[in-house]
Amino acid sequence: MSSDNTGRYDFNKGKLEDFPFEDPMLFFSSWYQDSIEQGCADPQAVAISTVNADGKPSSRMVYMRNLLEEGIVIYTNYLSRKGGQISQNHNVALLFHWDCAERQVRIEGVAEKVDDSISDEYFAGRPRISQIGAWASEQSSEIDNRATLEERVKFFEEKYPDVVPRPPHWGGYLIKPSYFEFWQGRLGRLHDRLCYQKAEEGWRKFRIAP
Ligand SMILES: Cc1cc2nc3c(=O)[nH]c(=O)nc-3n(C[C@H](O)[C@H](O)[C@H](O)COP(=O)(O)O)c2cc1C
C-alpha cells in the first residue's frame, strides 16, 4: 500500500480478474494462507458484528481459531454481550482486513455453538492463565474496579490448583457463511469485489462495482 501525506492510499498489490475458486471457503482459505505467508499482522483477527433484539448492531474483534469446511470457529464467553445477542439472533457478519495484502473479506452467516467436546479440547490446550481468566471474567458485565477482577483470578487459581475445567459458559461458535465478498484493492479506487451468495445448489457468483 502506498500513501501520500494526505492519507490517501493507492492499492496495487493484486488483482481479481476472474473467480479463482468455485467454493468460497477454498478461496478464503487460500487468502488466509497468503496473509500468513506475506507476514500480515494478526491474520486471524476478525471483527464480528452481532445485532440485539432491536436490530442494533455492535462489533468487536475476535480471533479465528479454526477454519473448517463448514465455516469459521471462534471462542468466547456465551454470556458476554455478543453471546447474548447471538442467542437472540444468530445472524452475524465477519470482517477480515489483511492490510499487507490490500485485501478484505466480508462474510455473513449464522453462528451456532460447537459441540461441548470440541470446546473442551480447545480449552484444555489454552495457557493456564487464559483458562483461569475464562472463569474469573464475567465478560461484558459491569465490575466495580480492577481489584474485583484480580480477586476473582486468585479465587479460581486456588479453586483449581491443577487441571482447570472448561466453564460451561465458555466455548466456540461455528459461523456458517451464506455470503462472501472478496475485496482486492486496485489503483484509482477501481477495486475488485467478487461475491458468493449461497444458492439452493452451490453458490451464485457475481462481481460488484467498487
Ligand atoms: C485482536 C483481538 C482479538 C480478540 N480475540 C478475542 C477472542 O478470540 N474471543 C473473545 O471473547 N474476545 C476477544 N477479544 C476481545 C473482544 O474484542 C471483546 O472485548 C470481548 O469479546 C467482549 O465483547 P462483547 O462485550 O461485545 O461480548 C479480542 C480483542 C482483540 C483486540
Side-chain angles (χ1 to χ4, degrees), residues 11 21 23 33 40 44 48 72 75 81 96 105-106 108 112 140 142 144 149 154 166 172 199:
F11 301 91
F21 295 92
D23 177 347
Q33 285 309 320
C40 289
Q44 291 165 286
I48 179 167
I72 286 164
Y75 285 91
R81 185 173 179 205
F96 290 85
V105 180
R106 293 164 64 164
E108 293 163 20
E112 54 187 52
S140 320
E142 212 170 304
D144 291 339
L149 178 65
K154 245 180 97 191
R166 177 179 63 86

Side-chain angles (χ1 to χ4, degrees), residues 42 60-63 75-76 80-82 139-140:
D42 245 1
R60 78 289 289 154
M61 299 302 295
V62 291
Y63 282 122
Y75 285 91
T76 192
S80 64
R81 185 173 179 205
K82 75 182 90 50
Q139 195 177 54
S140 320

